[in-house]
Every structure is written in C-alpha cells, then in structure tokens.
Amino acid sequence: MLSNKKILLLEDDVVDIMTNQRALKQVNISNELVVQENGEQGLNYLNNCDDLPGIILLDINMPKMNGIEFLGHLKKNEAWSQIPVVVLTTSKDQNDKLETFKLGISGYMIKPVRYDDFKKMLTAIKDYWNLSEHPY
C-alpha cells in the first residue's frame, strides 16, 4: 500500500468492517483505515478530505448509494478518478462485474467465507500495490 496514504473502506456491514480492521492489522497493513457506510458518505468524505486515499476498498451492496453508483461519481471527478478501487463483495453477479470493470476498477474480489482466506486476499492486494507504480 502507499505507506503514507489512507485506505478508504466503503462497507455497511459491521461484521465485515471489523473483519477488515482485524485482517489489515494481522497482515501488517498499518495505513489508517477510514470507514464510510455507503456511497453518499464516501463521496462526502472525498469532498472534504485534505489527502486523498491511496486505495478504495468498495462493497457493492450498500444502502442509499451502492458501489456502482459511487463508482460512476468517482470516475467523473478528475481528482478522484486515478484512485485505485478494489471491489470486495459477496456479489457473483456477472452484470455487477461488467459494470464495475466498465467504470475502471482495479480488481473485483469475492469476499471469502473463511477468515484465513480473507487475510490471504488482503495480503495479495497489499503485495500487488507495493509493487505497483502509482501516478501520485
């Protein structure tokens, strides 16, 4: 992860939020985690933050504004459009996959049921972003 950048997690499920928090610590990702419970809150956060996050971890199924709607707004904003977005979802719906990739996500991952598999998934994301070059 970009060591000095925050991670923005858009997730409405309390258990999934706690799972992310716990797993991030256990796989040695020390970036500050900012949690917003839906797309509206996520956009509000981005509008008011001083330092944009280094990555967004995005659930699709959220109230008020879902992940796909959030992505539509995110990618229209020039300042935000380069933030990498990884979808972490339970949705195996092909239309969700197609829509999110059309909107420029960096990855689409199904949330594993087993906690150890979830940690492995976060480790893979961490390893990939540590090796990746970033535009900022």
Side-chain angles (χ1 to χ4, degrees):
M1 300 285 162
L2 297 167
S3 61
N4 60 339
K5 295 285 190 176
K6 295 175 185 174
I7 298 170
L8 176 58
L9 172 65
L10 274 72
E11 174 63 66
D12 65 313
D13 185 278
V14 175
V15 173
D16 285 348
I17 292 168
M18 291 188 308
T19 300
N20 273 280
Q21 291 169 327
R22 180 177 169 216
L24 287 167
K25 285 181 186 175
Q26 289 185 345
V27 300
N28 297 316
I29 297 174
S30 59
N31 302 63
E32 181 182 342
L33 181 66
V34 176
V35 179
Q36 301 296 315
E37 294 182 3
N38 60 60
E40 284 182 5
Q41 289 182 6
L43 292 175
N44 187 46
Y45 171 78
L46 291 171
N47 273 318
N48 294 299
C49 71
D50 294 327
D51 189 26
L52 293 176
I55 190 170
I56 298 172
L57 304 178
L58 177 65
D59 187 22
I60 289 182
N61 299 312
M62 298 179 290
K64 295 186 181 180
M65 179 187 290
N66 70 31
I68 294 172
E69 293 166 326
F70 169 82
L71 277 170
H73 292 284
L74 181 82
K75 295 304 181 176
K76 288 178 186 172
N77 183 305
E78 190 174 332
W80 305 339
S81 64
Q82 299 303 311
I83 301 171
V85 178
V86 175
V87 172
L88 300 180
T89 186
T90 57
S91 175
K92 296 179 181 179
D93 186 292
Q94 187 65 14
N95 288 329
D96 287 345
K97 291 176 193 176
L98 290 171
E99 276 303 307
T100 55
F101 274 103
K102 282 180 192 175
L103 291 167
I105 64 164
S106 299
Y108 191 102
M109 300 184 183
I110 304 297
K111 295 176 191 174
V113 175
R114 292 185 51 238
Y115 180 70
D116 284 342
D117 292 336
F118 190 84
K119 287 190 331 186
K120 288 177 187 174
M121 180 186 66
L122 285 181
T123 298
I125 294 169
K126 171 187 170 184
D127 291 345
Y128 179 78
W129 259 272
N130 281 337
L131 294 171
S132 293
E133 295 294 325
H134 303 276
Y136 47 89

